[in-house]
Amino acid sequence: MATFLYRLGRFSFRKRHFVALFWVALLALAGAGAAGAPAAGNSSFSIPGTEAQKAFDLLDERFPGTRADGATARVVFKAPDGQKMTDPGNKAAVQETVEELSGGSEVVQVSDPYQGGGVSRDGSIAYASVTYEVSGMELEESSREALKAAAEDARESGLTVEIGGDALQAVPETGSAEIIGIGVAAVVLVITLGSLLAAGLPLLTAIVGVGIGVASITALASTLDLGSTTSILASMIGLAVGIDYALFVVSRYRAELAEGRTREEAAGRAVGTAGSAVVFAGLTVVIALVGLSVVNIPMLTKMGIAAAGTVAVAVLIALTLIPALLGYAGRRVRPAGEKSKLLGGGRAKDRAERPNMGTRWASFVVRRPLAVLLLGVVGLGAAAVPAGSLELGLPDDGSQPTSTTQRRAYDLLSEGFGPGFNGPLVVVVDAEGSDDPQAAFKQAGDEIKALDNVVNVAPAAPNKAGDTATIAVIPDAKPSSAATEDLVHDIRAAGADIKDGTGADVLVTGATAMNIDVSQKLNDALVPYLVLVVGLAFLLLIVVFRSILVPLKAALGFLLSVLAALGAVVAVYQWGWLSGLMGVEETGPIMSMMPIFMVGVVFGLAMDYEVFLVTRIREAHVHGEKPAQAVVTGFRYSARVVTAAAIIMIAVFSGFIGSSDSMVKMIGFGLATAVLFDAFVVRMAIVPAVLALLGAKAWWLPKWLDRALPNVDVEGESLAALDRAADKDDEDKELVRA
């Protein structure tokens, strides 16, 4: 592989006009496709194999035309202090709003609060439900504007009016913090590479890669039903790895220049060595992201594949566009150890012989490996303690910022009708196989009323055929509470008795039940996913490092860092520690997909640093250095770059903490924390300590396995053979001339 990538790097350097034109054309093509595509909406949410989804599908079949997946809105009214919603003036304003909303082109039905029991007991709050014929993703902007306009007209009468439901779901905004993250990355690159031009190359290529990835996702959003969050997560991961991969290639290029190689040769060597590490690091990330498909949640699968595609583009750009741009840069990208005049060039040679920080740190670790190892493990273990209290759920309007109308509508409904009113359960009674459907409907309603944590059970509403009915159940607790989850399980348990007595099937659905089923499905899939992803990556790392213990150590270190990161997420978003600093307005259960998503993404990113750092150590060992000295040599050449890469990735992920979307905010914090723990505690402390303790045993591999494994030559040994062959040719020529 090293030889192939070496040739690819030289080709890209020589044919830089062609390579640059190719990537510019690809970016333009993706941009044109995105410009002509419909705007991304909110991806439809289906969970195959769950009871909530089965009930949802049954509703579509037995209640045709009702569009169970249609968008909904709740327009919530609150009377001024001292007044009631039943006062003539307030009642007239509400009925005028209902009439105005009913004229919408996509509206199926608008409930009248005064006819459907939509007024609170104390008369201070009322609500009107609006049902649309299309899903929230397909809802036209004109319908959203009409909804807002109707609410604004009602406010002019003196009422407080807020809107909840999925009809107003908007594309999340990441805020200015993302730009700050990129700014931090730029500063780190300048300090690391010692040149404004060299620092600009990773940023430029990462932006090109993310541009291609996000534009492609936008172009395909309508066709493949990709939600708006998909492109945000793809840009988050693509930007971070794109900068890092380019940084490693540029850094190796400067190191090769410092060895006295020509610029074309240095570009080839950089791609042949650092590029090999980029390929395998990228493969681990792609495996982890594509592996999310085993959960069998379409939305998560699409997110993983889209992000994996963006990572693949970042790898290809690092291997081709970076050497092409280095060809354009020429002498303005200086050898390692030299800085541009603007940044103090000319003083580096006086300091060339001084050990750098990586050398000094590695020397300290190999002298005291056991102490460093114990300190690192104990520290991460302490950070992981809160993870033992992890509670999972999915965000609803109650987790929105208080500045949003959805959150204010949620709070008003809780105030007027109780917290459970925001998460009603829909019980579907399928009496097609029952001898007496009406009796089945009545028995189901009676048994549900007798359960704990039930506030209200509506009368059964049968379909035209009379073989299926829906029963609305209002829980006593809020949707994301453990009590509501227990109620769902209790209703399903009671359904077994109802089926025995009447022959009717009882299914529970609704947004709350769907969230509970999603959480359970994600929990059940976590271990199989972990085994699959870690197993495949473990095999890949055996091929890369030609060792059993090094990949095993890498996997165990990853588990430590991801548990510690989950502990930090629980402490902030569930317990409320530093919640004000992180912009967390409402603590509660951790998003259900957070653990499995973190496992996938963090594993891929953790293996990035493992590959970049340990390949340099193995390279030194393969070239004859003793194990302890190889650790020091590897850190001398790679610690600075790995540190810079980690800081950049932390800065980029931290930028997404400012997002308006609670899911993106939590993922940004979790990934930034995980990279912090993994890069600086696991890879920079625990890894060298373990390698120092293991010594030569770290690189042990059974002989039969050594013969069976392909030689991918990540260390660039074949390139060293090219050097020896070139030296031999020079000697032969000298002999001939002599």
Side-chain angles (χ1 to χ4, degrees):
M1 174 176 284
T3 304
F4 168 76
L5 293 177
Y6 164 77
R7 291 170 180 162
L8 178 63
R10 295 194 62 171
F11 170 83
S12 300
F13 187 94
R14 286 197 311 272
K15 305 293 184 181
R16 47 188 171 271
H17 302 311
F18 169 77
V19 173
L21 182 62
F22 170 81
W23 285 108
V24 170
L26 193 59
L27 178 61
L29 182 64
N42 296 289
S43 178
S44 58
F45 198 74
S46 63
I47 314 296
T50 61
E51 179 175 314
Q53 187 65 46
K54 290 176 184 176
F56 191 83
D57 296 338
L58 186 64
L59 287 175
D60 274 346
E61 177 188 340
R62 303 287 175 83
F63 292 81
T66 58
R67 287 305 304 266
D69 62 342
T72 60
R74 276 178 169 175
V75 183
V76 188
F77 308 88
K78 183 175 183 180
D81 291 343
Q83 299 182 26
K84 293 184 180 295
M85 290 305 304
T86 51
D87 293 346
N90 294 335
K91 186 174 182 179
V94 171
Q95 289 178 329
E96 185 177 335
T97 303
V98 169
E99 185 176 347
E100 182 179 349
L101 289 170
S102 300
S105 59
E106 296 179 301
V107 173
V108 174
Q109 180 183 357
V110 182
S111 67
D112 187 329
Y114 303 100
Q115 297 179 6
V119 181
S120 63
R121 290 184 179 179
D122 63 2
S124 64
I125 296 173
Y127 75 93
S129 294
V130 186
T131 306
Y132 293 88
E133 63 184 15
V134 295
S135 66
M137 185 184 69
E138 301 167 318
L139 197 64
E140 293 182 2
E141 190 60 31
S142 59
S143 295
R144 292 191 176 94
E145 292 302 323
L147 180 61
K148 295 176 185 176
E152 191 59 39
D153 291 342
R155 290 189 186 105
E156 293 179 0
S157 67
L159 296 174
T160 298
V161 186
E162 304 296 346
I163 306 170
D166 61 357
L168 286 188
Q169 283 184 342
V171 176
E173 298 176 356
T174 54
S176 59
E178 181 184 354
I179 300 174
I180 296 173
I182 296 175
V184 172
V187 172
V188 173
L189 285 170
V190 171
I191 294 172
T192 304
L193 298 176
S195 163
L196 292 174
L197 180 63
L201 293 182
L203 280 175
L204 174 63
T205 54
I207 291 171
V208 170
V210 169
I212 292 172
V214 172
S216 300
I217 291 169
T218 304
L220 297 172
S222 179
T223 304
L224 301 180
D225 189 24
L226 303 176
S228 54
T229 306
T230 302
S231 60
I232 292 179
L233 295 177
S235 66
M236 179 194 300
I237 296 169
L239 189 63
V241 301
I243 294 174
D244 279 6
Y245 294 166
L247 170 61
F248 279 97
V249 174
V250 173
S251 298
R252 188 60 184 253
Y253 171 77
R254 296 178 69 235
E256 295 294 336
L257 287 179
E259 295 290 329
R261 304 192 193 281
T262 64
R263 295 188 177 274
E264 181 180 331
E265 180 69 11
R269 297 294 177 125
V271 176
T273 51
S276 297
V278 165
V279 169
F280 282 99
L283 272 176
T284 59
V285 179
V286 169
I287 286 173
L289 291 170
V290 173
L292 291 170
S293 59
V294 304
V295 183
N296 196 27
I297 295 178
M299 184 186 76
L300 195 58
T301 299
K302 292 170 186 176
M303 286 168 55
I305 292 175
T310 307
V311 171
V313 170
V315 171
L316 293 175
I317 283 179
L319 300 179
T320 57
L321 186 56
I322 281 292
L325 294 180
L326 289 171
Y328 284 117
R331 296 181 180 277
R332 284 168 291 185
V333 175
R334 299 169 179 270
E338 293 186 17
K339 296 181 180 179
S340 64
K341 292 181 180 179
L342 182 64
L343 297 173
R347 298 196 298 263
K349 289 185 179 180
D350 298 333
R351 301 171 56 190
E353 299 302 320
R354 291 180 57 188
N356 61 20
M357 181 66 74
T359 302
R360 295 196 295 272
W361 170 250
S363 299
F364 169 78
V365 173
V366 297
R367 288 197 304 270
R368 298 175 177 82
L370 188 58
V372 172
L373 176 61
L374 290 176
L375 185 61
V377 171
V378 170
L380 290 178
V385 168
S389 302
L390 178 68
E391 296 177 7
L392 298 177
L394 285 178
D396 52 25
D397 284 348
S399 61
Q400 296 266 16
T402 53
S403 58
T404 63
T405 186
Q406 293 97 322
R407 171 60 186 275
R408 292 195 291 264
Y410 179 98
D411 291 341
L412 285 176
L413 288 172
S414 296
E415 177 187 339
F417 301 91
F421 195 78
N422 284 292
L425 304 176
V426 179
V427 178
V428 182
V429 183
D430 178 9
E432 190 176 43
S434 175
D435 295 333
D436 188 351
Q438 291 299 324
F441 301 154
K442 185 178 185 307
Q443 182 177 341
D446 291 342
E447 293 207 18
I448 293 171
K449 286 180 183 177
L451 297 175
D452 294 334
N453 299 318
V454 174
V455 171
N456 183 55
V457 178
N463 61 350
K464 289 182 180 179
D467 59 1
T468 308
T470 60
I471 301 174
V473 179
I474 305 300
D476 183 45
K478 64 181 183 178
S480 59
S481 67
T484 300
E485 182 176 349
D486 291 340
L487 176 59
V488 170
H489 294 314
D490 290 343
I491 295 174
R492 288 172 174 170
D497 297 333
I498 295 170
K499 182 174 178 61
D500 292 340
T502 66
D505 288 319
V506 176
L507 305 172
V508 185
T509 189
T512 301
M514 187 73 82
N515 289 352
I516 291 169
D517 286 353
V518 164
S519 299
Q520 187 60 50
K521 187 161 189 173
L522 287 166
N523 285 343
D524 294 342
L526 182 58
V527 173
Y529 172 72
L530 193 61
V531 171
L532 173 68
V533 171
V534 175
L536 287 176
F538 180 76
L539 295 176
L540 183 66
L541 292 178
I542 289 177
V543 174
V544 173
F545 296 129
R546 307 194 77 77
S547 164
I548 298 292
L549 296 179
V550 170
L552 181 61
K553 171 262 307 170
L556 294 176
F558 149 74
L559 290 176
L560 275 175
S561 58
V562 79
L563 285 174
L566 276 175
V569 169
V570 170
V572 173
Y573 289 89
Q574 186 175 310
W575 291 0
W577 294 4
L578 302 177
S579 57
L581 181 63
M582 295 298 169
V584 181
E585 298 188 19
E586 183 74 21
T587 59
I590 303 304
M591 182 182 62
S592 299
M593 63 179 66
M594 189 69 187
I596 201 163
F597 193 81
M598 277 189 65
V599 165
V601 177
V602 174
F603 183 78
L605 300 179
M607 294 307 102
D608 275 5
Y609 300 120
E610 182 74 14
V611 170
F612 289 133
L613 187 63
V614 179
T615 48
R616 263 299 199 172
I617 296 173
R618 177 169 170 76
E619 184 177 340
H621 180 66
V622 166
H623 292 161
E625 293 189 8
K626 293 182 179 180
Q629 183 56 41
V631 171
V632 176
T633 300
F635 268 70
R636 183 174 70 208
Y637 288 115
S638 59
R640 178 185 177 90
V641 181
V642 168
T643 299
I647 293 173
I648 289 168
M649 201 169 278
I650 292 168
V652 171
F653 287 149
S654 297
F656 289 85
I657 298 175
S659 172
S660 61
D661 185 276
S662 59
M663 181 174 74
V664 175
K665 182 192 294 283
M666 190 181 295
I667 288 177
F669 173 80
L671 294 183
T673 306
V675 171
L676 175 68
F677 288 148
D678 194 85
F680 292 105
V681 181
V682 175
R683 308 303 153 191
M684 302 297 287
I686 293 177
V687 165
V690 171
L691 290 177
L693 288 170
L694 291 175
K697 295 177 183 177
W699 310 108
W700 171 81
L701 186 70
K703 292 183 179 179
W704 64 268
L705 186 56
D706 187 38
R707 291 191 298 269
L709 291 177
N711 184 10
V712 295
D713 189 23
V714 177
E715 300 83 15
E717 182 62 22
S718 58
L719 301 183
L722 289 178
D723 282 342
R724 291 192 292 269
D727 293 340
K728 183 68 167 57
D729 288 342
D730 290 341
E731 291 176 5
D732 291 343
K733 289 176 183 177
E734 290 293 332
L735 289 174
V736 169
R737 283 196 290 268

